[in-house]
Amino acid sequence: MIRIIGITEHFTIKVLESSELLKEKLLWYWIDFSEPTREETSFLHQPLRFHHLAIEDCINKLQRPKLDYYDQYAFYVTHRLSEESVEKEEINFFVGNHYVVTFHHLPSPEIDQVWERFINTKEINEWNPYLVFYYILDKIVDNYFPFLYQVEDTLNDIEDNSNHFSMEKLLDQLFDTRHTLLRLRHTIIPMRDLLYRMLNSHRLDDIQGKKEYFSDIYDHLLKLSEMIDANREITTDIRDSYISYNSHQTNRVMKVLTVITTIFMPLTFIAGIYGMNFERMPELQWEYGYFIILGLMMFIGLSMFIWFKQKGWFE
C-alpha cells in the first residue's frame, strides 16, 4: 500500500494519489510504503528516481542500521522491535529537503501514530520532512524501553524466586533472559551508532539544525545500552551465585557422605575380619565375644561421630 500526503503552498494538507504527485505544487510531501507489492516498489525507481543501491537495501530485508549520502537526500536504515516478540523489523527512510519517504515490509505502529498526528495537527507550518523523521525515530526508540523493563522484572522474579521454582527452571529462565538481552543489544547498539554518526555528520545541515531533538534520542539509546550492560552483569552475577550455591550444596552432601563413610570404615573392617571363615579364630569361641565386638564397634562409631561434630563437620 502506498499513501501520500502533501503540504501545499498555503500550508494545507492534501491526500494524493501516486499519479497526482508530480502534478501538484507542493512545499514538501510524505510517501509511506507499507507492505508494498513489487509493482508499488517500482515507484521508487520511477518517478522518484532513487539510487538503485538504496532501493536494493529496501528490498533486501534486515540490513544493518546505517546512513548513506546521496546528492539530494540521505538514506537511513533503522530497526524497530515487534510488540509480540523481540524480533527486529526494518524501516527505511529517504529524507530530503522537500520530501520524506518511509518504506517498511511489515506494519509499523510508530509510523501510523505519527501519520495520524500529522493529519490532525493544526500547526502545519512547523512541520517538515526532518521533523517527521524525528518523530518516527523517537517513537521507535521509546518502544525499546518496555522490553528492557520487562527483562528487569523477570530478573527480579528470578532473584526473589517467590514462586519457589527449582534451580534448573530458574537457570533456564536466566539463560532465556540473557538471550533476550543479546537480541536487544544487537538492535540498540547499531541504532546508537547510527545516531552518533548523524549527530557528528557535517553533511546533514537540517539534522544539525535540530540537533537538540536528535541528541535526546541519542541520550535514550545511551541509557538503553547502559541498561543492557547492567542487566547482563546482573544475569552473570545471578548465574554465578546459583552455580556457587549449587556447588556449596553438593559439597555439603559430599561432606556428610564422607563422614558417614569414614565412620563405617573401621566398623566394616572389624566386621570383615570376623566374617572370615577360618576354623581357628580364638575370638569365635568367646562366650561374650559377639557383645564385646558389637560394643567395640558402637564405641568406635560414637567416638568418631562426637569427634567430627566437635570439628564442626555437621554445621
Side-chain angles (χ1 to χ4, degrees):
M1 178 183 71
I2 299 178
R3 50 183 177 175
I4 306 172
I5 48 177
I7 305 302
T8 66
E9 296 176 341
H10 303 289
F11 292 103
T12 59
I13 295 177
K14 189 171 183 179
V15 179
L16 304 171
E17 296 294 332
S18 57
S19 58
E20 302 173 332
L21 179 62
L22 299 181
K23 299 177 184 179
E24 295 287 337
K25 291 185 178 180
L26 304 172
L27 293 177
W28 63 277
Y29 55 86
W30 177 6
I31 307 176
D32 179 45
F33 290 79
S34 180
E35 303 177 84
T37 63
R38 181 176 299 181
E39 181 180 353
E40 290 172 338
T41 302
S42 65
F43 195 69
L44 295 172
H45 292 279
Q46 290 293 337
L48 295 178
R49 297 183 179 180
F50 290 131
H51 198 280
H52 68 91
L53 291 178
I55 297 174
E56 285 181 6
D57 287 338
C58 290
I59 297 173
N60 299 324
K61 300 178 182 179
L62 284 185
Q63 303 289 319
R64 181 180 175 85
K66 67 174 184 174
L67 162 63
D68 289 334
Y69 302 104
Y70 295 96
D71 292 338
Q72 304 297 325
Y73 59 90
F75 174 69
Y76 302 87
V77 176
T78 64
H79 287 167
R80 68 176 298 272
L81 290 174
S82 171
E83 289 82 0
E84 292 78 17
S85 62
V86 199
E87 295 295 330
K88 295 183 289 187
E89 297 175 0
E90 185 176 319
I91 300 179
N92 303 303
F93 296 86
F94 298 87
V95 185
N97 292 327
H98 302 291
Y99 55 83
V100 56
V101 177
T102 52
F103 187 99
H104 47 105
H105 291 281
L106 296 170
S108 170
E110 296 88 355
I111 292 179
D112 293 338
Q113 292 168 12
V114 176
W115 187 277
E116 289 298 321
R117 178 178 178 180
F118 180 47
I119 289 178
N120 297 321
T121 186
K122 296 180 180 179
E123 301 174 345
I124 298 299
N125 58 322
E126 295 183 2
W127 285 69
N128 59 51
Y130 294 93
L131 191 62
V132 171
F133 178 46
Y134 160 73
Y135 280 135
I136 297 174
L137 205 58
D138 186 52
K139 289 282 185 183
I140 291 173
V141 173
D142 285 345
N143 288 341
Y144 292 159
F145 280 97
F147 293 97
L148 265 298
Y149 293 147
Q150 185 177 359
V151 166
E152 289 184 341
D153 292 340
T154 302
L155 288 177
N156 289 332
D157 292 339
I158 292 174
E159 194 169 14
D160 295 339
N161 194 18
S162 56
N163 294 322
H164 305 290
F165 290 136
S166 64
M167 187 174 298
E168 289 77 10
K169 188 169 184 178
L170 289 174
L171 286 176
D172 288 340
Q173 292 180 356
L174 189 65
F175 286 120
D176 289 341
T177 304
R178 283 181 62 85
H179 181 64
T180 300
L181 284 170
L182 183 61
R183 294 166 69 180
L184 286 171
R185 192 174 189 275
H186 287 166
T187 301
I188 291 171
I189 298 303
M191 287 290 289
R192 183 195 66 186
D193 296 341
L194 172 62
L195 263 294
Y196 179 83
R197 186 181 174 192
M198 288 167 54
L199 291 171
N200 291 276
S201 174
H202 299 290
R203 300 179 61 179
L204 301 173
D205 295 334
D206 291 276
I207 296 291
Q208 295 299 319
K210 298 184 181 298
K211 191 170 184 178
E212 64 276 11
Y213 292 97
F214 290 93
S215 294
D216 183 64
I217 299 177
Y218 180 66
D219 290 340
H220 288 170
L221 287 167
L222 282 177
K223 181 181 178 180
L224 286 163
S225 59
E226 290 171 357
M227 289 174 64
I228 288 176
D229 292 337
N231 285 319
R232 281 176 61 82
E233 290 179 4
I234 291 173
T235 59
T236 301
D237 291 341
I238 295 175
R239 180 197 62 190
D240 293 342
S241 297
Y242 276 126
I243 292 176
S244 298
Y245 179 75
N246 189 38
S247 299
H248 175 67
Q249 290 291 94
T250 303
N251 289 337
R252 288 189 62 184
V253 172
M254 292 302 297
K255 184 171 67 174
V256 172
L257 293 176
T258 301
V259 169
I260 294 174
T261 302
T262 304
I263 291 174
F264 274 90
M265 281 177 62
L267 309 184
T268 305
F269 175 73
I270 294 173
I273 289 177
Y274 288 101
M276 294 185 294
N277 294 320
F278 292 112
E279 292 185 0
R280 299 186 180 184
M281 292 183 67
E283 294 85 352
L284 295 180
Q285 307 300 323
W286 291 355
E287 183 177 357
Y288 300 104
Y290 170 75
F291 300 102
I292 293 174
I293 296 301
L294 199 63
L296 178 64
M297 294 170 67
M298 184 177 298
F299 173 76
I300 293 173
L302 192 61
S303 299
M304 294 182 69
F305 174 80
I306 294 173
W307 185 62
F308 288 139
K309 189 172 181 60
Q310 289 177 346
K311 291 290 185 179
W313 282 38
F314 293 100
E315 296 179 359

